[in-house]
Amino acid sequence: MGEKLTVTVIKADVGGWVGHSSVHPDLIERAREMLSRREAKDLLLDFYVATVGDDINLIMTHRHGVDSEVIHRLAWDTFTACTEVAKELKLYGAGQDLLADTFSGNVKGMGPGVAEMEFVERPSEPIVIFMADKTEPGAWNWPLFKMFADPFNTVGLVIDPKMHQGFRFEVHDLIEHRRVDFVCPEEMYDLLVFIGAPGRFCIKAVYSRETGEQAAVSTTQRLNLMAGRYIGKDDPALIVRCQSGLPALGEVLEPFANPHLVSGWMRGSHSGPLMPVSYRQATPTRFDGPPRVVALGFQLCDGKLIGPQDLFADPAFDRARELALEVADYMRHLGPFEPHRLHLDEMEYTTLPQVMEKLKDRFTELSE
Ligand code: F6R
Ligand code: MG
Ligand code: MG
């Protein structure tokens, strides 16, 4: 068995340009500089700085395993350096996702989102990094279920002997802070009871039942809950390994050909379609959205990130974009009404307590 490799994605919004729509090029430059310094070079095999909307995603490969203090510190220092630039330029919400003043060993619980997975690089190792803006970690539940459990999406589950046993799903309860695993196809209906509620139950990881190997991992922090108040969106990332006993690249991308509704549009308080876009189109501006997702493909070569290939730039996703825009128009018609506006307990902005207080004397009991 070869040496283990870790792919780590750590993401944060440390300032938007303009508003919450994109990342200023000076921040990207600063992040690249930080990850190219001598100290960083000694730690990393390779890196790629990617953005989606107002989020910076640091994609890193290394041999330090998951939850490595040195790697997390490097990401923290990088975001801190980017925050300085954001402050100089008075960018919007500078430093918003860095919830603590000093680093304390692991970025988990400190604001940034983390997805990382350790494995032995196969003779050929295609991976996809999905990154979304204006939505939440549960947004991956639907596509992950399609990729790894739905034979109408992934024909490999039916006709590839290495996939026919199915996959195991690790689900996290973000409210009660618990974990539960399900194997598919046998426990598919039980799994769906939970992941159909993506605001609470999130697929954290997926494993092959044939080999036990990990196939996917997502970010699962809920920033708004961690801070105990609204301070921004917990925009998620997802790493998926493809091919040779795992879903083919095309099976991994296929769920996004049919945009699903996700939470997180405008003020984190609206639902809208998740639009798959090319890297250049990842700047959500209409009503601060609609929510969007980009997919960067890499071939790993001894830990080097060979890529990226901008996977949703394919015109085959044009119809998905058109459908997403139609759905966006339809949802926008509803204005401040549910289900475009989220249910009361899911909204990140609300004036209800103040309005209630103001009108409390006008309420009278109903006689029946
Ligand atoms: C942020 C987001 C935006 C903001 C909105 C209001 O990721 O989704 O829709 O919530 O622009 O922002 P503030 O309250 O900062 O003016
Ligand atoms: Mg923002
Ligand atoms: Mg964002």
Side-chain angles (χ1 to χ4, degrees):
M1 224 174 48
E3 210 182 339
K4 282 196 169 172
L5 166 83
T6 306
V7 179
T8 297
V9 178
I10 303 188
K11 55 123 327 233
D13 171 355
V14 291
W17 175 62
V18 174
H20 291 278
S21 66
S22 77
V23 177
H24 191 280
D26 287 3
L27 267 66
I28 303 173
E29 198 45 48
R30 189 79 186 98
R32 284 196 191 123
E33 271 167 30
M34 288 295 290
L35 298 184
S36 309
R37 284 175 315 154
R38 177 61 175 277
E39 311 86 285
K41 273 216 166 94
D42 291 344
L43 294 176
L44 300 178
L45 295 169
D46 203 1
F47 73 85
Y48 189 82
V49 178
T51 63
V52 59
D54 54 6
D55 301 311
I56 301 176
N57 286 250
L58 308 176
I59 303 169
M60 300 172 283
T61 53
H62 56 91
R63 303 232 184 255
H64 301 275
V66 300
D67 282 329
S68 154
E69 177 163 355
V70 282
I71 299 297
H72 283 223
R73 179 183 299 280
L74 177 63
W76 182 264
D77 290 346
T78 303
F79 288 130
T80 307
C82 292
T83 299
E84 281 164 23
V85 180
K87 284 187 174 153
E88 274 161 31
L89 298 176
K90 291 181 69 179
L91 297 181
Y92 198 68
Q96 70 162 50
D97 283 1
L98 304 188
L99 303 182
D101 295 331
T102 48
F103 178 74
S104 63
N106 190 308
V107 293
K108 272 189 207 154
M110 298 181 75
V114 188
E116 47 188 354
M117 149 160 65
E118 189 181 34
F119 53 87
V120 177
E121 187 181 295
R122 295 171 294 169
S124 184
E125 187 65 69
I127 63 166
V128 181
I129 312 288
F130 290 98
M131 310 177 303
D133 190 37
K134 310 298 179 239
T135 185
E136 60 179 11
W140 305 127
N141 286 4
W142 187 83
L144 278 170
F145 177 81
K146 304 280 284 180
M147 285 174 214
F148 290 98
D150 178 2
F152 283 78
N153 180 89
T154 298
V155 72
L157 294 166
V158 182
I159 63 174
D160 180 345
K162 294 199 292 272
M163 291 175 67
H164 201 68
Q165 275 198 62
F167 290 85
R168 177 166 59 88
F169 290 76
E170 175 184 333
V171 175
H172 288 195
D173 175 345
L174 299 189
I175 308 283
E176 300 269 322
H177 216 70
R178 298 183 294 182
R179 163 187 173 164
V180 55
D181 287 33
F182 298 95
V183 289
C184 282
E186 296 91 314
E187 299 179 320
M188 179 184 287
Y189 298 160
D190 291 342
L191 170 70
L192 286 167
V193 170
F194 294 95
I195 64 169
R200 170 159 180 187
F201 296 98
C202 292
I203 301 173
K204 174 66 185 174
V206 183
Y207 305 85
S208 160
R209 292 177 74 191
E210 168 82 17
T211 62
E213 280 230 54
Q214 189 167 357
V217 67
S218 67
T219 55
T220 42
Q221 91 292 4
R222 288 201 77 186
L223 202 51
N224 50 334
L225 290 183
M226 266 161 24
R229 64 189 163 90
Y230 174 80
I231 35 94
K233 217 62 36 40
D234 20 31
D235 306 307
L238 169 70
I239 309 172
V240 184
R241 299 166 73 195
C242 318
Q243 309 285 157
S244 301
L246 302 177
L249 177 72
E251 290 168 334
V252 166
L253 300 177
E254 181 65 7
F256 298 92
N258 218 329
H260 63 301
L261 290 172
V262 297
S263 299
W265 196 356
M266 183 51 91
R267 297 176 187 273
S269 305
H270 292 77
S271 131
L274 185 63
M275 183 161 74
V277 292
S278 71
Y279 194 64
R280 277 178 353 119
Q281 295 174 324
T283 50
T285 55
R286 179 182 175 190
F287 197 57
D288 288 358
R292 60 201 65 197
V293 54
V294 297
L296 298 185
F298 296 92
Q299 284 290 146
L300 294 179
C301 178
D302 302 323
K304 292 275 173 236
L305 291 157
I306 310 300
Q309 171 72 261
D310 185 0
L311 298 165
F312 289 145
D314 183 349
F317 287 95
D318 284 352
R319 292 245 181 90
R321 292 186 260 276
E322 274 163 33
L323 178 59
L325 294 178
E326 249 177 69
V327 173
D329 282 340
Y330 177 78
M331 297 298 280
R332 284 297 304 124
H333 259 8
L334 302 177
F337 280 76
E338 297 177 8
H340 181 31
R341 203 210 67 193
L342 298 180
H343 295 184
L344 287 175
D345 56 358
E346 275 289 309
M347 285 197 301
E348 287 174 4
Y349 277 59
T350 181
T351 49
L352 187 67
Q354 290 102 302
V355 177
M356 230 6 156
E357 177 59 27
K358 188 177 74 182
L359 299 186
K360 64 177 190 299
D361 298 333
R362 298 217 335 233
F363 280 84
T364 53
E365 292 304 320
L366 290 170
S367 53
E368 47 185 314

